[in-house]
Amino acid sequence: MIYYDFHIHSALSPCGDADMTPNNIVGMAKIIGLDAIAVSDHNTVGNMRSVMAVGRQLGVEVIPAMEVETEEEVHILTIYPSPEAAEYAAAEVYKKLPDIKNRPDIFGEQCIMDPDDNIIGYEEKLLLSATAFSINSLYDLVTGAGGIFIPAHVDRHSYSILSNLGFMPDDIDIRYIELSKRVEDPKAYTDNRQELKKYKILRNSDAHYLKDISEKDAHLDISDIGDLFKKR
């Protein structure tokens, strides 16, 4: 059994709090008792390796991940089997971001950090933007890199695949969907939406503040994170 939270934003996401540093994120996960986490910043993996380095020091497994916004303005959580796979996908996503400069006074800083929480740079392109990837083309990119394509917070009324499309596409092989912590009873939620019964459910925090990182409740009945990437 693995206790997890795969949707946490660092200070590289402009909406992420300044306290969302590699050491603070991993340290909080350690205190809570989580076995595995993922920092899934908007359209980037710029802080991934720093968080992974801290995870190795503190004994918390850190999974490479990224939250991507498609051209339909749907948020997709993507997780990868290796940092190299994540960086490949992120480089392609970056190419498809509009060339809009971040306004820190409006959107917030986009801080790139080292494993000691030092700010070593700032991302100048605004990360809070829809990419030019469609849902289907992003699916091809992510799965082609060996990753998992997970429609994020499908229960929300904005930036979710159900709110923006109104349905789950049946021409791509989606294995997992994410429910936000707002859904207190996932079984009751899916019982009322029979079209969702065939998907495996992940429950993540989408934390932008340390206090919002998931408590030790959501778990996977697997012994190794590598089992996530095995075909069902």
Side-chain angles (χ1 to χ4, degrees):
M1 183 179 296
I2 291 176
Y3 290 94
Y4 69 90
D5 187 350
F6 295 149
H7 194 159
I8 300 171
H9 290 271
S10 80
L12 180 51
S13 290
C15 47
D17 188 66
D19 287 337
M20 298 297 274
T21 67
N23 281 275
N24 284 347
I25 291 170
V26 179
M28 181 63 76
K30 181 74 172 181
I31 290 169
I32 291 169
L34 300 180
D35 301 303
I37 63 170
V39 167
S40 47
D41 284 314
H42 290 286
N43 298 315
T44 185
V45 296
N47 279 342
M48 174 190 65
R49 287 190 181 269
S50 292
V51 180
M52 293 182 76
V54 177
R56 288 191 292 270
Q57 294 171 2
L58 297 185
V60 176
E61 190 159 9
V62 178
I63 313 304
M66 171 174 54
E67 184 177 22
V68 183
E69 184 174 339
T70 70
E71 65 183 9
E72 299 92 349
E73 297 186 346
V74 170
H75 285 187
I76 303 294
L77 176 64
T78 67
I79 62 177
Y80 301 90
S82 70
E84 292 80 12
E87 286 168 342
Y88 164 75
E92 296 302 309
V93 165
Y94 194 83
K95 294 175 187 176
K96 298 288 189 177
L97 271 174
D99 193 19
I100 301 173
K101 190 172 182 179
N102 182 36
R103 288 280 306 276
D105 56 321
I106 297 175
F107 301 107
E109 298 282 7
Q110 299 180 152
C111 303
I112 303 169
M113 297 182 168
D114 69 13
D116 295 318
D117 293 352
N118 298 308
I119 297 175
I120 57 175
Y122 296 92
E123 174 55 56
E124 293 191 357
K125 184 184 285 191
L126 178 63
L127 297 171
L128 279 181
S129 299
T131 69
F133 275 105
S134 67
I135 288 172
N136 287 61
S137 60
L138 179 64
Y139 175 86
D140 291 341
L141 172 69
V142 173
T143 57
I148 303 176
F149 177 100
I150 306 162
H153 41 67
V154 300
D155 54 288
R156 290 187 180 172
H157 299 302
S158 60
Y159 298 113
S160 78
I161 200 165
L162 292 181
S163 66
N164 288 27
L165 291 191
F167 61 90
M168 294 293 296
D170 58 9
D171 57 343
I172 54 178
D173 183 24
I174 296 172
R175 296 162 53 200
Y176 293 89
I177 58 173
E178 179 191 70
L179 294 180
S180 75
K181 292 199 300 183
R182 300 178 188 182
V183 178
E184 295 183 1
D185 188 340
K187 184 178 184 303
Y189 182 85
T190 55
D191 282 346
N192 289 327
R193 295 160 181 82
Q194 289 298 312
E195 75 277 13
L196 302 182
K197 297 289 284 186
K198 66 179 181 179
Y199 303 107
K200 296 179 181 180
I201 303 296
L202 293 178
R203 296 194 74 203
N204 297 305
S205 68
D206 194 8
H208 293 72
Y209 298 87
L210 288 172
K211 65 181 179 60
D212 293 328
I213 294 175
S214 291
E215 295 295 326
K216 189 178 178 180
D217 48 19
H219 66 274
L220 295 166
D221 292 323
I222 58 177
S223 58
D224 185 89
I225 285 296
D227 293 340
L228 273 176
F229 297 93
K230 295 177 180 177
K231 293 292 184 181
R232 59 175 175 224

